[in-house]
Every structure is written in C-alpha cells, then in structure tokens.
Amino acid sequence: MADAYDARTPTVIADDVHITYRVHSGRTAREVHAVKGVTFVAHKGEAIGLIGSNGSGKSTLLKAVAGLIRPARGRVYTRGQPSLLGVNAALMNDLTGERNVVLGGLAMGMTRRQVRERYQRIVDFSGIDDKGDFSTLPMRTYSSGMAARLRFSIAAARSHDVLMIDEALATGDAAFQRRSKARIAELRATAGTVFLVSHHHRTVTETCDRALWLEAGTLRMDGPAADVVAAYEAHAKAKK
Amino acid sequence: MTLTATSPAPAPAPAGPAPDLAALAARHGLVESGARPCLPEYTRRLWGRRHFVTAFATARLTAQYSRARLGQLWQVMTPLLNATVYYFVFGVLLRTKEGVRDFVPFLVTGVFVWTFTSSTVLAGTRALTGNLGLVRALHFPRAALPVAYAVQQLQQLLFSMAALTVILCCCGQFPRPSWLLALPALGLQATFNTGLALVMARLASRTPDIAQLMPFALRTWMYVSGVMWSVSHAVRGDKMPHLVAVALEWNPAALYIDLTRFALIDSFAAGQLPPYAWAGAAGWALLAGVGGFVFFWQAEETYGRG
Ligand SMILES: Nc1ncnc2c1ncn2[C@@H]1O[C@H](COP(=O)(O)OP(=O)(O)O)[C@@H](O)[C@H]1O
Ligand SMILES: [Mg+2]
C-alpha cells in the first residue's frame, strides 16, 4: 500500500479526519459531527471533485484542508499553504471596486507590489469596467453578477500550491463562466492540486480526473470522476 | 474493507486510519494543516501581513462615513460634538470643574484620550466575532484582526487630536515643545490598548456575552479614571484609604490621560502626576502588549470554530 502511495508526490493527506461544530442556541450547546473519519491522499497535478448532497460535509472538509478548522480527531497534512477561493469575506460593500481589489489581494497574502502589478489584469478579467467606469464606484452599486465576477477575479489572481474552489463557478454569465473555466485550468497547471465542489456534475467530469463522494460526513467513494459521478447519480435516482 | 454484499454504494472507500499516513507525510515533508506556529514564527507571519492590517484598518475607517453626506468631515466633527456634550454635562450642569484650571482643555483631553482606550477595547471584543466569515475563509494570523481594529482606533485618534489642537488654541493653549511628550504617552497607550484588544478578542470569541457586559465595565472604568475630575485633587490629603488612592493613581487609563494633559496643558504641572508616572505607563504598555499577544496566540487554532 505504501509503495502505491509513494509513486507520486502527495500534496494533501487526510488521515481519519473528524470535524465537529459546537452550536450554541440559547443556553444549550450541541455538537454537530460534520465529518466522520475521512481518509484520502491527493497528489500533485490532480484535480479532485467533491460531490454529495447538501450538508454532507464538503465545505467543512475543505476548510479543514485549508487549515481553517482544526479536526477534532485525525490529522490533515499539506504541502505548502492550501487556499480556499473565499476572498469575498474580506471585501467591503461600501468601498470602491478599486480599493477592494487591493484589500482582497492583501488579504490573500499578496504583497503590495504584487497587487500593483496584477491590478489591471484583475479589473480587466472581471470585466466590470466594460460598461462604464465601475471600478471607482462602491461595490454595493454592482449587480450580484458583477460582484461575483470581481470576487472570482481577485481570488484567481494568485497561483496556489493547493487551490480549493467551493461552488464559485455557479456565478456570472455564460461568457464569464467560459473565461473562469479557462482560468481554473491555468491555475491547475500552476497549482499542485485543485479541489472543486460543484453541484453541476458536468463541470466535475469535465474539469476533474478524480472525485470524492461524501455522504453524511463519511467518504462513500473515491475514484475516477466519471465512475463516482455515475454511482452518485444512480444512488440519487434510487432514493427518489 | 467495509464492502459487503448489501452495501448500496458500489465501491466504498476504505474506512478507518491508515497507520502509515503520518510516515508518508513526514517522508514528503508535508506539515500538519491548522497547527499553531511557534511564537517567533507567528510574530513573523503577522509582520508579513502588516500591509493587510493597515489596509483593513483604513478601509474600515473610510467605509464608516462613506454613506454620510459630509463624508470624512465626520472624522473631526464626531469628537468635537462629543466634547461639546461632555462640557455641557460636566462643566455646566454638574460643575465638576471646581478647582480645576483650564477646565475645557482638561476635560476635552481627558475625553479624547479615554475614548481611545474604551473604543479600542470595545472594538477588540468584535474583532473576531464580527469577522467570522473572514476567519473561516482565509488563512492569516488571527491577531491581524484585533491589531487592525486597534490601528483603526489609532487613526481615529489622529483626527481627534486635530480637533483637540483647534480646541486648545481656542482656549489659549498654543503649541509648544512639551507637546512632543504627547507622542510617547499616546504611543505607550496605543500599545496598552492593542494588548487589551487582543485579550478581549480571545475572551469574546469563547464567550460572546462579554460584548453585552463591556459597556457597563467601560463606563465604570471611565468614572474612576479622572476623565472629568482631577485624580490628584481627589487623592490629596488623607480623605481616602491609602490603597484606594494608589489604585486610582496607578490606573493605566488615568496615567495615560494625565500624561497627555501634562504634555498639552500649561497649567497641568508635574506635581499633579503620581511619582514614576512614565515608568508606570511604560510598565502597563509592556505588560498588556506582550501578555495580550501571548494570551491571544495560545488559542490561535480555536478561532472560527463552532
Ligand atoms: N458554522 C457551522 N456551525 C454549525 N454547523 C455547521 C456549520 N457549518 C456547517 N455545519 C453543519 O455541518 C454539516 C456539513 O455542512 P457543510 O460542510 O456545509 O456541507 P456541504 O458543503 O456538503 O453542503 C451540516 O450538517 C451543517 O449543518
Ligand atoms: Mg457547501
């Protein structure tokens, strides 16, 4: 078993990961066991899709890989610092798009110089200035599609060792989706490993070579993307 | 391993721990994700994020009044209006000014310096709880948030000091070399405040109810800090027990307030300061700054969970 693992360079190792949330409602505290003993090894150059019904623990697992939540039990080992495509949390609606590009870039760990160098590319890629000078207006004046495009552009402006994308592709118009798919392929080429959570199974089979199927916090299946998606769809149909 | 004839899933993944995974990780130089870095490494990473800290602070400061018509003018108007209200209540209605020379500069300096501490402490309680989305989405030393909130309050203080200069000049107190002493006094206070913000951020992330108690705790602290009355007048003679007098004099907020008054106001002489006031101010700053940072770092991996 060890020999098979050693043939390629591992980038993420999840070793029997359990994650619990403490939920306070009023004065009672409950534990939610969101991930229950997941084990997998991801390698350099892989693009791995995560599928499973709502609440099955996909986002939670990615947060543990990113080091944002510490597993209650088990361990996650990573090569470099994995990043979650989640820059939106750093942005402020009352600030202009311009200033949000800078703030978001710095929040992701870019230096001031890197932000300056990539600024124009980020704004061009997002296309917010296509119809007027929107980058000098507060983000609260943007349509939800425009805001989503700007967020994705900021987040995708950096290359990452391990990149995790949680349903970020479901936003934007068709042209922007095409551009972002191309950008993800690029990121994948430069990143060690890409994780992608998506409810669009075609996106998973098209962009990923491998898939993990989570159900109620446990890993149901791990294998070639097409096989796992087919098994998941069969399971979902049987349940209906 | 767990595949059985009745299992509905075609090929369940192997469950349970594989004992060789830790060794595999070690062989390829993988490190544990989400583990707390040692203190020097943590400090280094925080320093690496200094541009984010200042950008975040400035962004919050700017966003604060971005919807108001008068915009950034409020940065100076708000402290001026505050000073007016305090003057009316304490100078005209309650007359705590008895026996205090230059009461307006005395009061306004006290209010502004106190506000710097109280608003930084209050901001500290919200630094993590108000940014859970950020904590759960991006990886950075969490101390960046309370520190950024403290920096924002420092920027706010600079506006207050601009307003204070105007008020002082109106009251016949003009800039002179001793004003430079306000820099070390406020610098030490800023360090003290930041440490306290770090402590409050950790406490409030564990027990959010603290945010509800803070206004009461801060108001009590304000009343004993000599913001609108003179500590040196109160402790003069032997009207009060010695221990109470010492506690009043060595209260960090009172020290920072009186040191700033000493720097800015002509009639506020060194005799009105307790002995070793500068040493006390520096000691509090060191204790709170270093202690707060270590205290915050110790719970680093728990922030944003649950
Ligand atoms: N911040 C949170 N606090 C408490 N419970 C949570 C939190 N986030 C997720 N959960 C719970 O953990 C489980 C897994 O959620 P999640 O990882 O978001 O699933 P998915 O991304 O697959 O839809 C769900 O039962 C959800 O209710
Ligand atoms: Mg999710």
Side-chain angles (χ1 to χ4, degrees):
Chain A
M1 203 164 159
D3 291 339
Y5 278 146
D6 270 0
R8 290 174 294 164
T9 316
T11 50
V12 176
I13 300 178
D15 185 358
D16 192 29
V17 172
H18 290 260
I19 300 164
T20 54
Y21 286 106
R22 265 196 325 270
V23 186
H24 296 275
S25 57
R27 276 162 38 204
T28 58
R30 278 194 309 136
E31 291 234 316
V32 177
H33 203 158
V35 174
K36 304 168 183 156
V38 170
T39 300
F40 66 88
V41 177
H43 302 95
K44 205 167 173 159
E46 274 183 327
I48 302 177
L50 251 71
I51 56 175
S53 50
N54 283 327
S56 56
K58 304 179 295 289
S59 305
T60 306
L61 182 62
L62 285 193
K63 283 177 184 163
V65 171
L68 300 166
I69 307 182
R70 201 172 157 78
R73 211 139 48 78
R75 292 211 150 82
V76 180
Y77 303 94
T78 59
R79 182 186 198 77
Q81 178 57 61
S83 17
L84 201 62
L85 206 61
V87 73
N88 36 340
L91 307 186
M92 296 184 197
N93 270 329
D94 282 338
L95 297 183
T96 61
E98 233 166 17
R99 297 198 54 176
N100 269 310
V101 170
V102 176
L103 185 63
L106 292 171
M108 286 196 309
M110 290 193 218
T111 63
R112 273 204 190 276
R113 177 136 167 256
Q114 285 169 330
V115 173
R116 252 198 318 274
E117 283 167 3
R118 292 172 206 183
Y119 174 81
Q120 202 51 50
R121 247 189 299 155
I122 295 173
V123 172
D124 291 348
F125 185 86
S126 72
I128 51 167
D129 278 353
D130 291 355
K131 297 188 189 75
D133 193 17
F134 270 96
S135 60
T136 55
L137 288 179
M139 247 176 93
R140 72 180 122 88
T141 64
Y142 294 11
S143 72
S144 60
M146 278 168 72
R149 269 152 40 194
L150 183 63
R151 287 197 289 266
F152 178 81
S153 313
I154 298 171
R158 223 198 103 178
S159 58
H160 308 266
D161 297 323
V162 175
L163 178 66
M164 292 167 288
I165 304 162
D166 196 343
E167 280 160 5
L169 287 177
T171 51
D173 50 25
F176 184 73
Q177 287 216 18
R178 246 193 328 278
R179 261 188 291 173
S180 21
K181 233 180 232 173
R183 180 74 188 120
I184 284 182
E186 259 176 64
L187 285 169
R188 200 183 134 188
T190 52
T193 308
V194 174
F195 287 89
L196 174 69
V197 174
S198 178
H199 288 297
H200 299 257
H201 294 157
R202 265 209 26 225
T203 314
V204 174
T205 47
E206 277 171 10
T207 32
C208 304
D209 31 40
R210 177 180 166 193
L212 306 178
W213 169 16
L214 281 180
E215 207 54 69
T218 56
L219 188 56
R220 278 287 283 272
M221 193 175 169
D222 173 359
D227 300 357
V228 177
V229 167
Y232 174 63
E233 279 175 347
H235 167 78
K237 211 176 279 165
K239 250 172 70 176
K240 265 184 207 152
Chain B
M1 268 177 269
T2 54
L3 185 61
T4 61
T6 53
S7 171
D20 59 338
L21 287 180
L24 175 72
R27 225 173 12 255
H28 286 274
L30 272 61
V31 293
E32 198 182 335
S33 190
R36 169 160 54 107
C38 65
L39 196 54
E41 171 64 15
Y42 187 73
T43 314
R44 204 186 55 76
R45 287 190 200 174
L46 182 61
W47 177 247
R49 289 302 181 116
R50 62 193 181 281
H51 294 303
F52 170 64
V53 168
T54 49
F56 192 67
T58 313
R60 283 182 46 88
L61 190 75
T62 318
Q64 200 174 7
Y65 298 114
S66 73
R67 288 171 193 237
R69 284 286 162 77
L70 293 177
Q72 305 305 316
L73 206 56
W74 282 108
Q75 307 279 13
V76 183
M77 300 254 297
T78 309
L80 279 178
L81 287 175
N82 266 327
T84 314
V85 170
Y86 277 97
Y87 175 72
F88 187 68
V89 173
F90 292 101
V92 179
L93 293 181
L94 295 179
R95 299 198 148 268
T96 55
K97 69 181 188 182
E98 304 298 329
V100 178
R101 286 176 63 195
D102 295 316
F103 184 70
V104 173
F106 177 91
L107 175 72
V108 177
T109 308
V111 169
F112 286 2
V113 175
W114 164 255
T115 304
F116 181 33
T117 289
S118 74
S119 52
T120 309
V121 171
L122 205 56
T125 61
R126 301 198 204 100
L128 290 175
T129 53
N131 285 297
L132 277 183
L134 196 54
V135 170
R136 288 179 181 154
L138 291 176
H139 198 90
F140 57 87
R142 303 318 184 193
L145 290 173
V147 172
Y149 274 53
V151 169
Q152 185 196 344
Q153 295 306 324
L154 181 63
Q155 295 170 326
Q156 193 93 66
L157 175 79
L158 297 182
F159 285 106
S160 302
M161 287 296 129
L164 181 61
T165 306
V166 174
I167 296 174
L168 288 179
C169 289
C170 291
C171 298
Q173 303 280 331
F174 296 102
R176 47 201 169 90
S178 84
W179 278 32
L180 288 177
L181 284 176
L183 291 179
L186 295 174
L188 290 172
Q189 190 194 2
T191 314
F192 173 81
N193 290 353
T194 309
L196 225 49
L198 285 161
V199 172
M200 293 319 299
R202 173 173 168 181
L203 294 179
S205 85
R206 181 128 198 105
T207 321
D209 306 57
I210 285 182
Q212 263 62 49
L213 285 177
M214 279 325 282
F216 303 104
L218 285 171
R219 213 168 308 155
T220 312
W221 192 7
M222 175 176 83
Y223 289 136
V224 300
S225 296
V227 174
M228 41 291 221
W229 47 272
S230 161
V231 173
S232 67
H233 283 196
V235 301
R236 197 180 298 150
D238 36 28
K239 276 175 293 184
M240 60 175 67
H242 179 66
L243 267 179
V244 177
V246 169
L248 279 181
E249 283 192 322
W250 288 82
N251 165 6
L255 280 176
Y256 296 123
I257 290 171
D258 278 348
L259 283 174
T260 310
R261 281 175 181 152
F262 170 64
L264 299 180
I265 305 170
D266 229 351
S267 56
F268 196 96
Q272 283 170 268
L273 291 174
Y276 308 112
W278 285 103
W284 277 118
L286 196 70
L287 182 73
V290 175
F293 186 63
V294 172
F295 180 71
F296 185 89
W297 160 78
Q298 282 173 330
E300 173 77 3
E301 69 274 33
T302 67
Y303 303 134
R305 280 197 58 185

